[in-house]
Amino acid sequence: MYTGQCLCGGVRFRIEGELAPVQVCHCSQCRHAQGTPFATNIPVSTSAFHLDAGEALLKGFESTPGKERVFCGHCGSPLFSRRADLPDVVRIRAGLINEPLDVRPVWHAYTASKANWWSIDDDLPCYPEGYPGRR
């Protein structure tokens, strides 16, 4: 089991089960939403994700049709995103998890629009227009 929380601690959650590998997204929307050169996401089944506190603090923003980004309405921490075409998955922001992670990043997506001031210096696969296995 893993636990996580927003910056103010008002939103707390747990994930029951093993984690999928971290996905690194460099698209301009993720950069703007996070305020960082990329977002680190872990897809989690909605059946494994449990909100323990802060449901009333959750705020959502539909950044593109069918994609909602959810954040804490008090401290502004980005929490997860969800897509209408994948209703059984939330993409948790990896930095929110309290415990050390055994999983590591597996690829970089949308590298064609990455921040020009950030270098990708690892050997992970890079996908200029998104991960090709995404449905």
Side-chain angles (χ1 to χ4, degrees), residues 38-58:
F38 50 82
T40 52
N41 304 303
I42 299 175
V44 173
S45 167
T46 55
S47 64
F49 177 77
H50 305 280
L51 190 61
D52 292 331
E55 185 172 359
L57 293 174
L58 297 180

Side-chain angles (χ1 to χ4, degrees), residues 19-122:
L19 295 177
V22 177
Q23 303 170 352
V24 183
C25 184
H26 296 265
C27 79
S28 61
Q29 277 196 2
C30 280
R31 288 189 288 111
H32 288 123
Q34 309 303 306
T36 60
F38 50 82
T40 52
N41 304 303
I42 299 175
V44 173
S45 167
T46 55
S47 64
F49 177 77
H50 305 280
L51 190 61
D52 292 331
E55 185 172 359
L57 293 174
L58 297 180
K59 302 292 180 193
F61 175 71
E62 189 174 21
S63 56
T64 55
K67 181 174 183 175
E68 181 183 31
R69 295 172 183 274
V70 178
F71 58 96
C72 174
H74 181 72
C75 68
S77 292
L79 300 165
F80 58 86
S81 60
R82 54 185 163 206
R83 293 181 17 206
D85 62 339
L86 293 172
D88 299 330
V89 175
V90 291
R91 293 174 35 138
I92 302 295
R93 302 305 176 251
L96 300 175
I97 296 175
N98 296 319
E99 293 76 23
L101 299 180
D102 291 331
V103 297
R104 297 291 181 259
V106 288
W107 43 256
H108 297 272
Y110 294 99
T111 56
S113 63
K114 75 173 201 59
N116 68 341
W117 48 271
W118 188 264
S119 299
I120 298 174
D121 295 328
D122 57 41

